[in-house]
Amino acid sequence: QVQLVESGGGSVQAGGSLRLSCAASGYTYRNYYMGWFRQAPGKEREGVGIIDSGGSTIYADSVKGRFTISQDNAKNTLYLQMNSLRPDDTAMYYCAASVAYLLTRRHVHYWGQGTQVTVSS
């Protein structure tokens, strides 16, 4: 059973930075593509970024140049470095284990419980 536990969320002012972490267990990085999704109140859950085992990444257009995904395979930990945060980045952020190298929810097999990020103006 795959378990994903996020941490690192919080409140920050616009222009600030946060780093989210996702500790994974019950799988190896070779089995899944790891990614981040987010869901703002009243909106659908959307893909933020995803990484493959070789370190290649895909990002949503809205976060390109500001967010960076990385993973430490030895620690089975996924990270999301978020810089230049904006109020519209406010959302619950979810770690995800996907069977496809795509930012699509339907390919996600496992979700974390989420961590809240709030950006004030």
Side-chain angles (χ1 to χ4, degrees):
Q1 181 73 13
V2 175
Q3 291 188 323
L4 305 172
V5 180
E6 303 97 331
S7 61
S11 296
V12 64
Q13 289 193 325
S17 298
L18 282 173
R19 188 175 84 151
L20 306 183
S21 299
C22 171
S25 61
Y27 90 106
T28 71
Y29 65 89
R30 293 184 180 89
N31 299 126
Y32 295 99
Y33 301 97
M34 298 304 295
W36 291 95
F37 287 69
R38 67 185 181 185
Q39 187 167 17
K43 295 188 176 181
E44 292 189 351
R45 193 171 298 187
E46 63 177 3
V48 173
I50 195 164
I51 188 167
D52 73 7
S53 59
S56 296
T57 53
I58 299 173
Y59 295 99
D61 288 343
S62 59
V63 306
K64 280 180 184 176
R66 301 187 300 121
F67 290 12
T68 303
I69 288 179
S70 60
Q71 61 187 2
D72 185 330
N73 294 329
K75 295 181 179 179
N76 264 5
T77 301
L78 180 73
Y79 302 99
L80 180 66
Q81 178 66 45
M82 304 185 293
N83 298 329
S84 302
L85 282 161
R86 309 184 307 215
D88 61 358
D89 293 317
T90 295
M92 186 72 79
Y93 283 71
Y94 297 91
C95 180
S98 175
V99 293
Y101 185 51
L102 296 167
L103 288 175
T104 49
R105 290 176 296 168
R106 64 187 179 94
H107 293 106
V108 174
H109 277 200
Y110 296 98
W111 296 98
Q113 83 288 351
T115 186
Q116 178 68 37
V117 171
T118 302
V119 185
S120 58
S121 57

